[in-house]
Amino acid sequence: MDWKSLFFTAEGRIGRQAFWIGWLMLLGAHVVAGWIPLIGWAVGLAALFASVCLYTKRLHDMGRSGWWQLLPIVFGPVLVISAALSLGLGAIFSGLANGPTEWVALAGVGGLLGALALAFVVVIAFTLWVGISDGQPGENRYGEPPLTPVLV
């Protein structure tokens, strides 16, 4: 497998080593994209697309659909948004009932920080699961197993 097909197509399967090499390269691309003021967003968007392709191929090697990567992508924002809403609504309702809004807001901030930490743990756990799990031996519905563990 070459670099172009590794990062820009979601078809086929890749092994664990190719996944981790690609993941580290995309991590570097995201860091560099954060430093570039004008075209950094375009580099980050291309790296995000490449990341979806990379995860999809690795999930294919495990015999799973690429749609599995939606779990951490959707879970994190839903969790954080719901915690932020509870922060705001708790303070509003406490203010309407003439309650201690400071304590309610402080508890809401703690819940928001906890939600951020949980979302981060879910993403890390998903990445480790995808990167460490064995692929299916032999052919599966996504194609032949990767022939070479190292990229060319």
Side-chain angles (χ1 to χ4, degrees):
M1 176 166 298
D2 61 350
W3 295 104
K4 181 180 172 185
S5 62
L6 177 69
F7 291 121
F8 296 111
T9 180
E11 297 175 3
R13 298 167 59 175
I14 59 170
R16 291 178 290 200
Q17 183 179 16
F19 172 78
W20 285 116
I21 290 171
W23 188 85
L24 287 172
M25 292 186 71
L26 289 174
L27 178 66
H30 280 291
V31 169
V32 169
W35 292 341
I36 303 173
L38 298 177
I39 60 169
W41 63 272
V43 173
L45 193 59
L48 181 64
F49 175 75
S51 177
V52 168
C53 292
L54 188 74
Y55 274 89
T56 299
K57 281 196 277 273
R58 183 67 194 124
L59 286 164
H60 285 176
D61 190 46
M62 296 165 55
R64 304 188 187 284
S65 170
W67 290 103
W68 275 78
Q69 63 187 306
L70 281 180
L71 291 174
I73 292 172
V74 170
F75 178 75
V78 165
L79 187 66
V80 171
I81 288 171
S82 63
L85 284 175
S86 73
L87 167 67
L89 292 175
I92 289 171
F93 291 137
S94 177
L96 291 175
N98 293 326
T101 56
E102 297 84 13
W103 290 107
V104 172
L106 187 60
V109 168
L112 182 61
L113 291 176
L116 284 169
L118 183 60
F120 178 73
V121 167
V122 166
V123 169
I124 294 299
F126 181 78
T127 299
L128 288 174
W129 173 64
V130 169
I132 293 174
S133 296
D134 290 332
Q136 286 185 333
E139 185 175 350
N140 65 14
R141 65 182 177 163
Y142 301 106
E144 293 286 329
L147 297 175
T148 56
V150 182
L151 298 169
V152 249

